[in-house]
Amino acid sequence: MVLFLALFLVSPAAHAYDKSELKITRTIANVRAKPDLKAPVVWVLSPAESFLIGKAQGNWLPVFPVSDVKDASPVGYVSNKVVVPAPADGPVVDWGDIRYVGKDLKYYLERTVKSSTGGMLKSGDKIKVGFLRDGWYAVFKADAKVVSEAEAIGYVQQSAVDLINDEARIRYAVRRINVIEKPVATSRAVGVLSPGHRAQVGDEKGGMYALFRIDTMVKKDTPVWGYAWGPFLAPYPENLEKAQMAGIDARKAEIKAEKDRKAQAEVKRDSELAAMEEAMDEMLLAPVKTKTMYATAVLNVRSEPDAKSLIVDKLEFGEAVSVGQEEGKWFPVFKPGEKNELKRVGYVFGTYLKAEAPVMKKEEPRKKRVPGGPDEVPIKITSTKMTFSENRNRITFSGNVKVVRLDVTLTSDTLTAHLRPDGDSLSDTQDKIKKIVAGGNVKVVMKKRKGHCDELTYVVGDSIIYMKGNAELQDGPNNIQGAEIKFYLKDNRAEVVGGSKPIEAIFYTPKNVSP
């Protein structure tokens, strides 16, 4: 295109006109057959494409292709109100527009049916037409840019290729056009239609058509792709449109049939579910037949008839329970709910249920333990401060803490006595102590033995003392050290654990004893 224009500019003998005679239009402009607003439109110019003008006739300018000399017949006339000078390197007008042939069509060598036939155009062929005169178009190959009528392969009547079909569902671009977001000339572009490319059209607004992509299933709520100028969109031949849309229409029919089938299936399913719910209600509302059985052991009641399911309740030995029909080896367990209606709470393994109540052995009453009796060993604790936490079951001593039990004496900065959770007062605390934990300057004396550590724990029930953190214990002249020392009061023996440091033990023996 640009190359052709350049060749023209360097060949003044072939094209006798000045560069200043090249013009473009500011907007889309009509080219009319005569210099008259009432004359028929023979062409539509796109903005920014160069064309040649001749001598003005009033307010009208004759229009020529850039490739032709001005003594040839003009293409038509354009108003000088929309014409401005063209840039030297601008594109020239393509004087051909795309058309699709709707049916087999002859083309002639001249603009008359009396001339010789040039050939046949087949239904569905894509061609270019231009240079409309006396109701005849010049015909060109579709894949070449049209710059001169001399390149025409023949001529066809305008009525044979300009289809009047306002109801066409498909239109195609006769030349390259922008698809814009809104039906306003200043709107931004959202796509492009190349010459011959097709789209489905919707409503027309201000000379623009709403467009949908050719493969889109267009429904009432389908979003518009964009808008394009109507003068550059031609209707697709009706027989070709039917073939193009057949697949889309068939798919629409399939979608509708599938939607109807799903709706019918949904109605059927709702009916079946309603019948199932009614049958379920009858079954659930029917009175439950139960019998009374007795637990022969402490039993777990589980959520499902499965030993791995959740435990939801327990049955005590000899407890009577209402059970339903046996399911495998499990019995469903029922208990009275609201309004005394029986409600299933879980399942019990049937092996441990009997129809007769088991014989309950009478247990002899346990003797009440008397604190301070002959079997009890008192623990005496003194300090400057004592705090009792009932919720946490512990007593904390601080300040000059001293503990005395038989031959064991313990001193520390703090001491915590952990109690058993079986009381709600400080009475009989001696009986409730589980363990004692001492910390800070811990020192202990056990008859001839002396020791110290960072933390000491005394487990009352086991009579074991745990010495941790720099633990050291002296027994007369003998000395042992370790990360932890365990002293068993009942057995009168010690066990030492070294931790990250080795155990150190020093024993003294008589001088006159050989190793």
Side-chain angles (χ1 to χ4, degrees), residues 460-481:
V460 177
D462 297 334
S463 295
I464 300 176
I465 293 176
Y466 296 87
M467 300 171 65
K468 296 180 181 180
N470 300 313
E472 182 177 350
L473 184 65
Q474 292 181 338
D475 187 358
N478 302 320
N479 183 69
I480 55 175
Q481 297 180 13

Side-chain angles (χ1 to χ4, degrees), residues 264-278:
Q264 293 174 0
E266 190 70 21
V267 171
K268 182 180 178 182
R269 180 174 175 273
D270 290 344
S271 177
E272 291 174 348
L273 286 175
M276 290 176 60
E277 289 179 0
E278 185 177 350

Side-chain angles (χ1 to χ4, degrees), residues 400-403 409-414 438-445:
N400 299 320
V401 180
K402 183 176 182 181
V403 181
T409 301
L410 169 69
T411 60
S412 63
D413 294 338
T414 63
N441 297 314
V442 180
K443 296 180 181 180
V444 61
V445 178

Side-chain angles (χ1 to χ4, degrees), residues 45-62:
L45 291 171
S46 298
E49 292 184 334
S50 300
F51 54 88
L52 182 64
I53 63 168
K55 186 177 179 180
Q57 299 182 21
N59 293 328
W60 295 86
L61 298 171

Side-chain angles (χ1 to χ4, degrees), residues 44 57 84 86 91 129 163 168 206 226 233 235 237 241 252 296 333 338 356 368 376 381 387 397 407 420 449 451 464:
V44 179
Q57 299 182 21
V84 295
V129 297
L163 304 177
L233 291 171
E241 178 181 295
K252 284 184 178 179
T296 60
V333 175
E338 296 180 2
E356 297 180 357
K368 186 176 180 181
E376 298 292 337
I381 304 175
T387 303
F397 301 87
D407 297 331
R420 296 183 182 87
R449 300 181 181 87
I464 300 176

Side-chain angles (χ1 to χ4, degrees), residues 116-128:
S116 300
T117 302
M120 290 291 295
L121 300 173
K122 297 293 184 182
S123 176
D125 282 353
K126 185 169 71 170
I127 60 172
K128 274 190 175 181

Side-chain angles (χ1 to χ4, degrees), residues 20 48 89 101 113 124 164 168 174 188 190 205 214 216 226 251 348 356 386 398 401 404 428 432 437 488:
S20 64
D89 57 350
V101 180
V113 293
I164 301 174
V174 298
R188 70 182 184 91
V190 294
K205 296 180 180 179
I214 190 66
T216 299
R251 180 57 184 150
V348 171
E356 297 180 357
M386 182 189 77
S398 58
V401 180
V404 178
D428 196 17
K432 301 173 184 174
V437 179
Y488 299 86

Side-chain angles (χ1 to χ4, degrees), residues 163-459:
L163 304 177
I164 301 174
N165 185 2
D166 293 337
E167 301 300 322
R169 299 163 64 187
I170 298 179
R171 290 182 181 260
Y172 61 91
V174 298
R175 59 186 76 170
R176 178 184 173 88
I177 55 175
N178 286 332
V179 179
I180 57 179
E181 185 177 24
K182 298 177 181 179
V184 179
T186 56
S187 182
R188 70 182 184 91
V190 294
V192 172
L193 279 179
S194 297
H197 282 197
R198 290 157 292 179
Q200 297 180 77
V201 296
D203 295 337
E204 185 264 341
K205 296 180 180 179
M208 291 188 175
Y209 281 101
L211 297 185
F212 305 89
R213 295 184 187 276
I214 190 66
D215 56 351
T216 299
M217 303 292 292
V218 180
K219 302 176 183 178
K220 290 183 179 180
D221 56 349
T222 302
V224 174
W225 172 31
Y227 294 82
W229 285 104
F232 297 152
L233 291 171
Y236 206 47
E238 188 174 357
N239 59 322
L240 300 181
E241 178 181 295
K242 287 180 179 179
Q244 177 69 37
M245 297 300 294
I248 295 178
D249 290 340
R251 180 57 184 150
K252 284 184 178 179
E254 289 178 5
I255 292 174
K256 184 178 184 305
E258 181 67 14
K259 185 176 180 180
D260 293 342
R261 187 193 65 78
K262 288 184 177 179
Q264 293 174 0
E266 190 70 21
V267 171
K268 182 180 178 182
R269 180 174 175 273
D270 290 344
S271 177
E272 291 174 348
L273 286 175
M276 290 176 60
E277 289 179 0
E278 185 177 350
M280 185 66 70
D281 289 342
E282 290 180 2
M283 185 177 68
L284 294 175
L285 294 175
V288 180
K289 295 181 179 180
T290 61
K291 58 183 177 181
T292 301
M293 300 188 77
Y294 299 88
T296 60
V298 177
L299 298 181
N300 291 326
V301 180
R302 297 189 176 271
S303 61
E304 302 293 337
D306 187 344
K308 295 182 180 180
S309 63
L310 295 175
I311 297 173
V312 296
D313 201 353
K314 282 187 178 294
L315 298 179
E316 298 296 334
F317 174 75
E319 183 177 347
V321 63
S322 297
V323 299
Q325 183 65 34
E326 187 175 9
E327 300 178 16
K329 295 183 178 180
W330 296 78
F331 281 97
V333 175
F334 293 87
K335 288 188 177 182
E338 296 180 2
K339 300 180 181 180
N340 290 325
E341 295 179 354
L342 288 178
K343 180 181 179 182
R344 185 176 61 192
V345 296
Y347 294 84
V348 171
F349 199 63
T351 303
Y352 301 99
L353 290 176
K354 299 296 180 183
E356 297 180 357
V359 178
M360 306 289 287
K361 293 183 179 179
K362 293 183 179 180
E363 295 184 359
E364 295 182 0
R366 297 175 62 182
K367 294 181 179 180
K368 186 176 180 181
R369 178 182 160 277
V370 180
D375 297 329
E376 298 292 337
V377 177
I379 298 175
K380 183 179 179 181
I381 304 175
T382 60
S383 66
T384 58
K385 182 179 179 181
M386 182 189 77
T387 303
F388 173 57
S389 175
E390 183 176 346
N391 292 335
R392 303 179 67 180
N393 294 310
R394 62 177 59 175
I395 304 174
T396 302
F397 301 87
S398 58
N400 299 320
V401 180
K402 183 176 182 181
V403 181
V404 178
R405 181 185 183 276
L406 296 179
D407 297 331
V408 179
T409 301
L410 169 69
T411 60
S412 63
D413 294 338
T414 63
L415 182 141
T416 301
H418 296 264
L419 309 179
R420 296 183 182 87
D422 54 358
D424 57 1
S425 69
L426 288 174
S427 63
D428 196 17
T429 301
Q430 161 69 26
D431 184 43
K432 301 173 184 174
I433 296 177
K434 293 193 299 184
K435 65 178 179 181
I436 294 173
V437 179
N441 297 314
V442 180
K443 296 180 181 180
V444 61
V445 178
M446 296 175 285
K447 294 185 179 180
K448 298 180 181 180
R449 300 181 181 87
K450 296 181 180 180
H452 63 83
C453 60
D454 295 336
E455 181 182 285
L456 182 144
T457 301
Y458 170 43
V459 182

